[in-house]
Amino acid sequence: MTVITCQNVTKSYRSYNVLNDIQFDIKENTLTGIIGRNGVGKTTLMKMIAGYTEVDAGKLEVFSENPFNNLIVSSNTVFIDDTMTFPESMTIQDIFKECKRFFDRWDNQLATRLSTYSGLHPKTKPYILSKGKRSIFHAIIGIASRSPLTIFDEPTNGMDAVVRKDFYRALLKDYIAHPRTILLSSHHIEEIENLLEDVLLIHNQTILFHGSITDLQERFITLMGTEQKLGNYMDSDDVIALQKIDSYVTLTMKNRFTEQEFEVMRENGIHVSNVSANDAYVALTGKSKGGIDDVFN
Amino acid sequence: MLEASSSKPIYLQIADWLENEILEGTLSANDKVHSQYQLAEIFNVNPATAGKGIGLLLEKEIVYKRRGLGTFVSEEGHEKLLAERTEERLQKKINALLEEAKRLQIDYEELLQLIEKSHRQQGGEEN
């Protein structure tokens, strides 16, 4: 079943075009990473899906409904980011109580246990928490709500490395036990690539890639060797990143090779290695052929 | 165990890990293999990725599926793995040997003599 359908959707802020004619579908119970550079419209897209902002043009459907101002969508969706606000008079336990009333599948026991584990006192008011602790509190609401559509916009902002790891682990465990559709945005793809099933990569107002994380990893290959040996490949249109130090060249390029061709390369002293999803992302969205190195040359 | 920094895709690493479990005898014929959800928890990866690892072994018929019960090691799984790995690794070594001989300008006849000599020295039977 498809949970989100996005057809020819366009969104601008005044004259600034954020998303242009994008399309994709999100299947039920997948965990998808929304990936992109700063300011490419990840938050805008997720806010449209959650029904917070309206699309300018095109068709966006969530649970087969137009999400904007829609009760069915909002009662089945939770949107977590670091700007969530709660009435200042409410304590953590008060908020959990309200969550229980609002979210059908809310697991209060899980929320309480995660809070205790994270050192959050039930009588604390969230606005006095540090940035990191507040992020933890928001993340707990996101996990314990068990919403059929759970959206995390940069949930680990402000969390330290240990907490981030715990958060991803908790999310994975609860997702395995209670599958639901999850969107997770981050610019730290290396932290989440093993957690994801799919990736939606946004770049230059469009969807640059939407597919499984393994497809993204296998789409590219890195070749390393001397300029003399790699000369044949360097001019190819398939090259997406090239680094040259003296005569030693590192190429990241589209993987159109067979295993036999790799064998031949290895025999010729070319080092062949796979590309992580993060490297593929950096190569795809960075400056092609030359990057930061060129600034110094 | 798995290495996040390894350039090998994680599902291939999971497939390798399962193959080693079978080769080392931790999993015998008709034993139940970890489910994709167990593997996901063990290796901290998405269940779909873990499922791809199991899928590779299914394709090679090293494991088989029983509807509603799970995935099990096939009768000939261990042997298939032995054959596959031997073939793959031995073949690679032979190729490397031929390459090296070429580099040293040793022709094929000479190489065969060298192999026979080594074989005799190791107490092998003479042809």
Side-chain angles (χ1 to χ4, degrees), chain A residues 53-124:
Chain A
T53 46
E54 219 173 349
V55 302
D56 290 346
K59 191 174 96 173
L60 177 66
E61 283 188 349
V62 178
F63 302 116
S64 311
E65 304 264 337
N66 176 358
F68 189 65
N69 271 342
N70 186 305
L71 262 181
I72 294 171
V73 172
S74 63
S75 63
N76 284 293
T77 303
V78 67
F79 181 91
I80 304 294
D81 70 355
D82 55 10
T83 64
M84 293 173 87
T85 47
F86 304 93
E88 288 198 357
S89 62
M90 288 174 87
T91 62
I92 286 177
Q93 87 187 355
D94 295 337
I95 293 164
F96 283 174
K97 218 188 228 169
E98 291 307 311
C99 286
K100 198 176 172 182
R101 275 153 43 97
F102 188 79
F103 297 111
D104 269 357
R105 308 178 191 192
W106 176 261
D107 185 336
N108 209 56
Q109 212 193 0
L110 178 66
T112 312
R113 282 164 64 179
L114 286 171
S115 303
T116 310
Y117 173 81
S118 311
L120 296 173
H121 195 274
K123 295 256 162 64
T124 307

Side-chain angles (χ1 to χ4, degrees), chain B:
Chain B
M1 285 304 269
L2 307 193
E3 301 163 61
S5 58
S6 161
S7 58
K8 207 169 188 180
I10 213 96
Y11 75 99
L12 289 178
Q13 293 185 52
I14 289 175
D16 275 357
W17 183 83
L18 284 172
E19 288 188 0
N20 286 341
E21 293 274 290
I22 297 169
L23 279 172
E24 287 159 12
T26 316
L27 288 172
S28 313
N30 301 311
D31 277 356
K32 193 168 191 265
V33 178
H34 316 266
S35 75
Q36 69 184 107
Y37 300 100
Q38 289 169 322
L39 289 170
E41 277 221 50
I42 296 171
F43 295 116
N44 222 11
V45 299
N46 190 288
T49 309
K52 269 184 197 167
I54 298 175
L56 284 178
L57 272 68
L58 276 168
E59 263 172 48
K60 294 195 280 187
E61 293 177 345
I62 289 159
V63 297
Y64 65 95
K65 254 196 170 124
R66 285 172 68 185
R67 196 171 278 272
L69 292 174
T71 310
F72 298 82
V73 180
S74 61
E75 205 68 58
E76 63 285 10
H78 186 261
E79 247 168 80
K80 270 193 177 161
L81 271 178
L82 271 182
E84 184 197 302
R85 290 237 185 156
T86 313
E87 196 179 307
E88 231 176 57
R89 285 185 193 171
L90 197 61
Q91 198 57 54
K92 273 207 174 131
K93 281 188 179 159
I94 291 171
N95 290 345
L97 183 72
L98 289 171
E99 272 301 307
E100 184 67 13
K102 206 162 115 193
R103 230 172 269 138
L104 301 174
Q105 297 177 334
I106 293 172
D107 69 21
Y108 186 63
E109 283 302 315
E110 267 180 276
L111 183 65
L112 280 182
Q113 280 166 22
L114 283 171
I115 291 174
E116 262 179 38
K117 195 175 138 201
S118 296
H119 187 60
R120 271 197 303 274
Q121 276 169 358
Q122 285 178 11
E125 279 173 45
E126 270 181 75
N127 290 327

